[in-house]
Amino acid sequence: MNLLLNPFDRRCSRQHDFPEMQGAYPWVGHLPAIVRDLPALLQRAEAMLGNHFWLDFGPAGRMLTCAHPDAFALLRHRDVSSALIGEIAPDLMGGTLVAQDGEAHRRARDAVKSAFLPKGLNQARIGELFASLLKVQVQQWRDMGEVAILRETSDLMLKLIFSLMGIPARDIRQWRRKYKQLLQLIIAPPIDLPGLPLRRGRAARSWIDTRLREFIQDARAHAKRTGLLNDMVGLFDQSGQDLSDDALIANIRLLLLAGHDTTASTMAWIVIELARQPALWEALTEEAQRLGDVPIQQEDLARCPVAEALFRETLRVHPATTLLPRRVLQELPLGGRHIPAGTVLCIPLLHFSRSAHLYEAPEEFRLARWLQRTEPIRPMDMLQFGTGPHVCIGYHLVWLELVQFCIALALVMQKVGVQPRLLSNVEKGRRYYPTAHPSSAIRIGFS
Ligand code: HEM
């Protein structure tokens, strides 16, 4: 943590009566610590300053970070706005539904949400489609004997989300690279020069949008074709003049991003945890053997408690979305204090996900906390997907594809008597922001 914080910044300042965390660097603020060791930064700030403190996100400005899990409910508050997301990353999130409030948000969300509910997923036979793609991919890993896991899961997730959208999955590596550059726009310094992240991110966006525009034209030319992209184009076209092609492109770009980046990270963490904890692998292979094949329908998931617990516990320990930014529209009470209108908030999902207020022994990876529970899953149990009007659209899809993935992996590897083995240091190179993921250098062997 030492050099991640600026040792010369020892100010004890306050803003709106909330303390500011020390250790900010000029221009980039606390970003080095946020990107590389967010859990330690949040723990240290909470221990020094209490539940509410300002963190400096460099180009995105300061945010009042609310470290107590009670702040999770703010995501459901009608006086808390998501528009800030579009202001922080206008090139990436501007015009997308995640950065909209109220009626505009509802209309854009309605155009896609039913396709992602269990009924929509079953109707589109997504389970069958994914099961065969997943089996082919893990067989390839087995034959390769060793893989750079994050690169592999990113390519796999892009293939899956493309097939779900009904878009031809060509140039997958190129798409992965472009999305990686696009994500840098969230933390890019506002300097538009060749070779710098802002210029590269904008070029990546233009590359992506040109292709999406072609897919939309193609969808209009083949209106009878099935697939989410065709459905979205149809719905947007029927909805009147106010939804332009730019809004359609922005939302498809968002779906491709949301549908692959977070899930690829979680999938990579699942393999890493299976590789470093042989007892997990044993429990999973027993379950896979009992099932005999990869589950296809949402209803089949109840027969895979170990795979489901693995998906939930991996996300709890390694949440893929670590922080959510919001703006307060009207003065709000919080923890006996008042947050003035206009305040920019940071809701740290990662901190709640590992909080002793919510979980017994939060630092331990325990499947038992899911296997032994008898009550149904509550919003707080899936806090890694947010809550309120913007709660993740892809929750049921992720649940299905990650359980399918676990079972496919266990069946394919077990058939030839191999299992995942960790070949790299896990702590080195992991990132927590703008999205969280293990290092792309981590290699997994199958032997
Ligand atoms: C492990 C995987 C995933 C995690 C942890 C995750 C997490 C989240 C979170 C925390 C939010 C709330 C954002 C906010 O309130 O500002 C969100 C929203 C969203 N997610 Fe996911 N997500 C995942 C996978 C997916 C997938 C697979 C899709 C779709 C294919 C998807 C589509 C979306 C969309 C469209 C939104 C915006 C919803 C809205 O603003 O109404 N996500 N996700």
Side-chain angles (χ1 to χ4, degrees):
M1 169 65 47
N2 282 348
L3 276 181
L4 297 179
L5 290 175
N6 180 357
F8 301 108
D9 175 29
R10 296 185 172 280
R11 289 166 302 148
C12 296
S13 41
R14 301 180 80 81
Q15 199 184 333
H16 298 312
D17 205 27
F18 293 101
E20 290 183 29
M21 180 61 183
Q22 300 177 340
Y25 283 98
W27 302 99
V28 294
H30 298 109
L31 274 180
I34 291 169
V35 171
R36 285 162 179 264
D37 201 357
L38 181 64
L41 174 68
L42 291 170
Q43 273 169 17
R44 187 157 159 179
E46 190 183 23
M48 284 169 61
L49 308 170
N51 282 335
H52 310 297
F53 44 83
W54 293 94
L55 289 182
D56 185 342
F57 284 75
R62 292 201 176 122
M63 298 194 205
L64 180 61
T65 306
C66 305
H68 194 279
D70 282 353
F72 186 58
L74 289 176
L75 296 173
R76 289 194 294 270
H77 203 291
R78 66 187 175 87
D79 291 330
V80 168
S81 160
S82 287
L84 175 71
I85 295 177
E87 291 162 33
I88 292 176
D91 292 298
L92 176 57
M93 297 296 185
T96 69
L97 66 118
V98 76
Q100 287 169 329
D101 297 319
E103 183 55 22
H105 168 251
R106 198 188 52 75
R107 263 188 298 145
R109 191 171 163 111
D110 281 354
V112 279
K113 73 172 183 204
S114 50
F116 290 94
L117 292 172
K119 194 171 155 205
L121 294 172
N122 280 346
Q123 266 171 6
R125 305 169 80 98
I126 296 303
E128 274 122 308
L129 182 67
F130 281 14
S132 55
L133 288 169
L134 285 163
K135 280 191 240 175
V136 169
Q137 189 67 55
V138 289
Q139 276 161 7
Q140 271 178 23
W141 294 356
R142 180 200 59 199
D143 297 343
M144 287 154 77
E146 189 183 317
V147 296
I149 192 65
L150 185 64
R151 205 170 311 154
E152 291 293 324
T153 57
S154 297
D155 288 354
L156 171 58
M157 291 318 306
L158 269 168
K159 270 186 218 158
L160 294 189
I161 188 73
F162 272 58
S163 67
L164 181 145
M165 299 286 286
I167 299 176
R170 282 192 295 266
D171 307 329
I172 286 293
R173 299 232 149 135
Q174 186 86 317
W175 280 90
R176 168 162 51 77
R177 260 198 305 277
K178 297 293 175 191
Y179 262 112
K180 210 168 159 187
Q181 291 166 351
L182 190 66
L183 272 168
Q184 289 304 310
L185 285 173
I186 299 180
I187 50 173
I191 309 166
D192 189 8
L193 286 175
L196 292 185
L198 185 63
R199 180 71 64 91
R200 268 207 307 262
R202 284 181 173 162
R205 183 188 132 145
S206 148
W207 187 94
I208 291 171
D209 288 4
T210 303
R211 270 139 202 91
L212 295 184
R213 214 173 278 282
E214 286 164 13
F215 295 145
I216 291 171
Q217 278 161 7
D218 196 47
R220 288 201 175 110
H222 302 89
K224 291 215 175 81
R225 215 165 39 196
T226 53
L228 182 59
L229 182 87
N230 267 59
D231 297 349
M232 278 177 78
V233 172
L235 272 169
F236 270 64
D237 286 351
Q238 283 159 26
S239 68
Q241 310 309 314
D242 46 348
L243 291 172
S244 65
D245 270 10
D246 287 345
L248 186 53
I249 288 173
N251 281 308
I252 297 170
R253 188 188 336 107
L254 170 76
L255 271 178
L256 293 180
L257 172 69
H260 94 273
D261 188 76
T262 45
T263 324
S265 161
T266 313
M267 193 180 261
W269 277 119
I270 288 178
V271 181
I272 293 167
E273 292 299 348
L274 286 169
R276 66 176 173 183
Q277 302 188 63
L280 293 184
W281 179 250
E282 232 169 83
L284 180 65
T285 47
E286 253 173 50
E287 179 164 285
Q289 231 168 0
R290 215 172 35 247
L291 287 165
D293 205 354
V294 176
I296 299 293
Q297 302 270 345
Q298 202 81 28
E299 304 83 77
D300 300 338
L301 300 183
R303 294 192 289 124
C304 316
V306 174
E308 181 181 338
L310 193 54
F311 141 65
R312 293 194 187 279
E313 186 65 353
T314 303
L315 254 180
R316 188 191 70 77
V317 177
H318 307 290
T321 306
T322 51
L323 307 168
L324 296 179
R326 292 289 193 268
R327 178 174 283 119
V328 174
L329 299 177
Q330 304 281 344
E331 186 177 278
L332 280 182
L334 184 72
R337 315 273 283 278
H338 284 277
I339 304 183
T343 303
V344 169
L345 294 179
C346 163
I347 310 291
L349 297 183
L350 171 115
H351 199 59
F352 307 157
S353 202
R354 296 170 174 192
S355 164
H357 293 290
L358 300 177
Y359 302 97
E360 194 187 310
E363 69 293 347
E364 287 178 21
F365 193 104
R366 283 189 188 172
L367 290 193
R369 67 174 100 240
W370 304 102
L371 291 172
Q372 286 168 4
R373 65 179 286 140
T374 46
E375 333 77 83
I377 298 290
R378 301 156 306 164
M380 207 60 185
D381 298 316
M382 43 175 278
L383 68 87
Q384 301 76 15
F385 293 94
T387 190
H390 289 275
V391 67
C392 180
I393 280 182
Y395 170 68
H396 293 283
L397 175 68
V398 179
W399 180 0
L400 175 69
E401 60 195 356
L402 289 180
V403 168
Q404 285 189 313
F405 168 72
C406 291
I407 302 294
L409 184 75
L411 285 173
V412 167
M413 298 299 166
Q414 189 192 33
K415 204 166 165 190
V416 291
V418 299
Q419 68 184 81
R421 301 192 193 272
L422 191 57
L423 306 177
S424 320
N425 176 349
V426 173
E427 290 316 312
K428 212 170 143 205
R430 66 187 289 180
R431 295 287 181 268
Y432 294 92
Y433 187 78
T435 53
H437 55 81
S439 160
S440 46
I442 292 183
R443 299 192 71 79
I444 297 285
F446 298 99
S447 58

